[in-house]
């Protein structure tokens, strides 16, 4: 936490020097604070998307397993049909 505060203080010092005035700094700060909520919402949306992607990956794996099972059933049915006609 100490490092974060020190980094923030250093950032403010650089911004004050670069801005040349407290008014520009105040405007920049207000714009940054206004964007903070947007950034948080975006981070939450990305987290939800990651969860959805994980769920889709699981469903894809399940669908693959089901396709293998269907193929095995079809192969067995073909073997039964072939055995029926060869007997």
């Amino acid at each position: 936490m100490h490092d974060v505060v020190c980094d923030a203080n250093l950032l403010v010092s650089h911004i004050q020097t670069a801005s040349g005035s407290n008014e520009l700094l105040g405007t920049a700060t207000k714009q940054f604070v206004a964007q903070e909520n947007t950034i948080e919402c975006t981070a939450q949306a990305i987290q939800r998307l990651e969860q959805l992607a994980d769920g889709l990956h699981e469903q894809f794996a399940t669908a693959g397993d089901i396709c293998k099972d269907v193929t095995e059933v079809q192969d067995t049915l073909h073997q039964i049909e072939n055995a029926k006609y060869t007997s």
Side-chain angles (χ1 to χ4, degrees), residues 21-40:
S21 75
N22 284 337
E23 184 178 325
L24 288 175
L25 177 60
T27 301
T29 302
K30 287 177 185 176
Q31 289 173 346
F32 177 78
V33 169
Q35 294 299 320
E36 187 175 10
N37 186 43
T38 302
I39 293 168
E40 178 63 28

Side-chain angles (χ1 to χ4, degrees), residues 38-57:
T38 302
I39 293 168
E40 178 63 28
C41 289
T42 301
Q44 290 174 359
I46 290 171
Q47 186 177 15
R48 286 192 301 270
L49 286 172
E50 288 173 346
Q51 292 170 347
L52 288 171
D54 289 343
L56 287 173
H57 180 72

